[in-house]
Amino acid sequence: MLINKMGLHLQGHWETNIKDSQERFDPMMPEALALGCSWYTVLHPDLPLVPWIKERQPDAQIMIRDYDYDIMRHDPYVRAEDVARYMEPLITKGFTRNITVGNELNLSLEHNEWTPEATQYWKSREGYMKVGEWTAKNTYKLRELLPEAVVWFQAFATGHQEDGPDDNWYGYDYCQEAIRLSQGICIHAYWSQPQDLDSPEARMWYSHRWARPKGYKHSTDPGSVHAIFPDKWLFIKEHSSHPDTGNVVDFFNSLYGYPYVVGATAWLWRTPDPGHDAGRIQGRPLENILKAALKQRVELPDLSKPYKENEEEPPMPNYFFTLGFKDKANLLGPEIVGEPLENERYDAAGDAEQYTTKGRMEWVKKLNKTYFWDEAQPKNL
């Protein structure tokens, strides 16, 4: 099955006085599906959305987010049994196999705790250890009850020592067993300034933090999620805080250069909650940007099997000067630079390169400079 990697989160809770939740979605969501995204995320209270989506878009890929404030107050095995009860019919009917339990459990607010001490605890070794233990038990039971499900490890909030790189420890290390039991890992990729997408250095801490290679910042930097767990699929289930900023098309197109990233859902289509309005897509420029980014297609991989580097997706027929190289390449023009033969790649030192029909684009992290190498000599762009 050919799909794109684009997606939306479809939010419910529109009219609380309407008991049939499917009724309240029907007049509101067709325009979202009309964009043509392949991926959707749905909170478990909004399960009536799932058959509604599949009826209108049979090839849609759906991720169910089992979410609750302070979810770890529940017994992990009992929570797994609750999830299995609603997931089993979805799997049987062929609607979806994808499930992720919990959300940003390295934040104290997700545990309904608001003190400074709680903030420090849930991003400490002890906090990650507690999250890892609960999630491992929950995932073990889910895999036992739902052998056909594709279970995704919940997304951590970024920048809270989950992937280091400092202090010689990282939170994911305390969640190894839960991740081993999962087929994939969910990611949140947030940025707030256009330069967070334009700078190769900034991307390693914001939009593309999940791709940070081992040893990027210093010799003991473990790298981010893919470097730590190279056999796991990644799914970006939330991205961007302010959809009016940055070249989001470049972000989407860049994902096709990472075969282990199966999709990305923008947070969110629209919402009645003023607290989430900053992430709304409907009626903003990003709605049209999304339409421009939905042209590429890849084969949907078998997510029940581990990702392997030597089993990458087939090359795409079209590549792009994405993110950091785009503006630089435009300064010389296609008659000098040529057309890209691949998407940009990073080495262990954090330097980036992208081969073209007439040479090679290169960004040197240490110098923070971009070059184009042709047959003669490098030209500082």
Side-chain angles (χ1 to χ4, degrees), residues 4-296:
N4 58 57
K5 293 192 176 186
M6 311 305 111
L8 295 170
H9 176 73
L10 299 185
Q11 182 86 338
H13 308 300
W14 291 88
E15 300 287 346
T16 56
N17 60 325
I18 296 178
K19 294 182 179 179
D20 184 350
S21 56
Q22 189 158 348
E23 279 186 31
R24 69 177 189 255
F25 297 132
D26 227 2
M28 299 179 177
M29 298 298 180
E31 55 193 294
L33 269 63
L35 287 177
C37 297
S38 290
W39 283 94
Y40 300 93
T41 51
V42 174
L43 294 174
H44 78 277
D46 300 328
L47 289 179
L49 261 179
V50 175
W52 185 90
I53 294 170
K54 294 295 284 188
E55 178 183 347
R56 290 157 178 78
Q57 191 175 335
D59 291 341
Q61 304 301 306
I62 301 173
M63 171 86 70
I64 305 300
R65 297 179 54 168
D66 186 76
Y67 176 77
D68 194 2
Y69 263 131
D70 196 14
I71 196 169
M72 286 173 55
R73 75 182 187 276
H74 299 283
D75 180 278
Y77 301 116
V78 174
R79 187 73 182 197
E81 292 169 353
D82 293 340
V83 172
R85 273 191 286 273
Y86 69 69
M87 279 299 297
E88 187 173 13
L90 297 180
I91 295 172
T92 301
K93 295 176 182 178
F95 289 157
T96 183
R97 297 188 299 155
N98 298 292
I99 176 69
T100 182
V101 178
N103 180 71
E104 294 190 338
L105 293 177
N106 57 343
L107 296 183
S108 61
L109 63 88
E110 293 293 349
H111 301 271
N112 199 26
E113 298 176 8
W114 305 88
T115 66
E117 293 78 12
T119 298
Q120 292 302 314
Y121 174 80
W122 287 109
K123 61 180 182 180
S124 70
R125 287 181 173 89
E126 294 76 13
Y128 280 108
M129 191 179 302
K130 193 170 183 179
V131 170
E133 180 182 358
W134 189 94
T135 310
K137 293 177 179 178
N138 178 263
T139 306
Y140 177 84
K141 191 65 175 179
L142 274 177
R143 295 295 302 275
E144 177 185 271
L145 296 172
L146 298 171
E148 295 183 10
V150 177
V151 182
W152 297 79
F153 183 79
Q154 57 99 16
F156 281 138
T158 58
H160 296 273
Q161 199 61 26
E162 77 285 352
D163 61 356
D166 299 315
D167 299 331
N168 295 317
W169 72 274
Y170 54 93
Y172 280 117
D173 193 33
Y174 296 93
C175 302
Q176 294 267 3
E177 180 63 10
I179 294 174
R180 183 188 68 81
L181 293 166
S182 305
Q183 285 99 333
I185 304 171
C186 288
I187 301 295
H188 288 175
Y190 280 105
W191 64 90
S192 59
Q193 303 296 326
Q195 56 265 32
D196 294 342
L197 281 173
D198 296 336
S199 162
E201 175 77 11
R203 287 201 302 281
M204 290 294 99
W205 304 112
Y206 297 101
S207 62
H208 292 68
R209 183 177 181 126
W210 38 270
R212 191 178 84 246
K214 184 178 180 180
Y216 181 82
K217 185 175 181 180
H218 46 66
S219 60
T220 60
D221 180 357
S224 195
V225 186
H226 178 62
I228 301 170
F229 304 103
D231 64 332
K232 298 297 180 182
W233 301 101
L234 301 187
F235 181 83
I236 302 171
K237 73 176 177 69
E238 293 183 20
H239 66 79
S240 183
S241 295
H242 302 284
D244 296 341
T245 65
N247 193 336
V248 184
V249 171
D250 282 348
F251 170 74
F252 279 136
N253 285 333
S254 75
L255 299 182
Y256 292 94
Y258 302 92
Y260 52 85
V261 177
V262 300
T265 47
W267 178 268
L268 71 176
W269 172 241
R270 64 180 186 175
T271 174
D273 182 357
H276 284 153
D277 191 63
R280 174 176 55 85
I281 291 172
Q282 186 201 36
R284 287 184 169 174
L286 185 55
E287 183 174 354
N288 292 324
I289 288 173
L290 275 169
K291 293 177 182 178
L294 294 169
K295 299 177 182 179
Q296 295 200 56

